[in-house]
Amino acid sequence: MTIAPTKLSDPAVRAFVTAVNAGDREAFFALLTPDATMSDDGSERDLADWVDREIFGPNGRMAVQTESHGGHALVAEFTNETWGTMRTAWRFTVDGGKIHRFETGQA
């Protein structure tokens, strides 16, 4: 069973998932602080390069399975045209209503 993005607890995380699923790169970047960072499977990545390669280029989508830590931690089935579907964990640091950092990796 998945959790609809509209039901996610944190507004910034809710908007993140909504932007990913809509393929809306502009809305996605509007959610981030100017100095936002991210990691994938424990390795720091260039945020703009990673999201273009993993999310927006290959039509990435998130189907959220669980949320915890006040909505700042998700487990989701992430699907894109490069890798197919995988179970992933996402952790978010939100500052002033914007995402300052996110970490993702296989769950």
Side-chain angles (χ1 to χ4, degrees), residues 17-94:
V17 174
T18 299
V20 167
N21 289 346
D24 191 339
R25 187 179 190 277
E26 185 175 327
F28 179 91
F29 278 99
L31 301 166
L32 305 178
T33 63
D35 58 345
T37 61
M38 62 88 51
S39 70
D40 181 12
D41 281 328
S43 297
E44 294 299 311
R45 304 290 185 192
D46 176 270
L47 192 147
D49 177 63
W50 188 89
V51 299
D52 285 339
R53 189 179 66 252
E54 299 292 336
I55 296 175
F56 297 110
N59 198 30
R61 299 291 181 264
M62 297 173 72
V64 177
Q65 307 296 309
T66 65
E67 74 167 343
S68 58
H69 300 285
H72 293 157
L74 307 176
V75 173
E77 293 292 322
F78 181 77
T79 302
N80 71 23
E81 294 167 351
T82 302
W83 305 109
T85 300
M86 64 190 90
R87 185 173 168 84
T88 55
W90 299 76
R91 292 202 176 268
F92 299 89
T93 302
V94 178

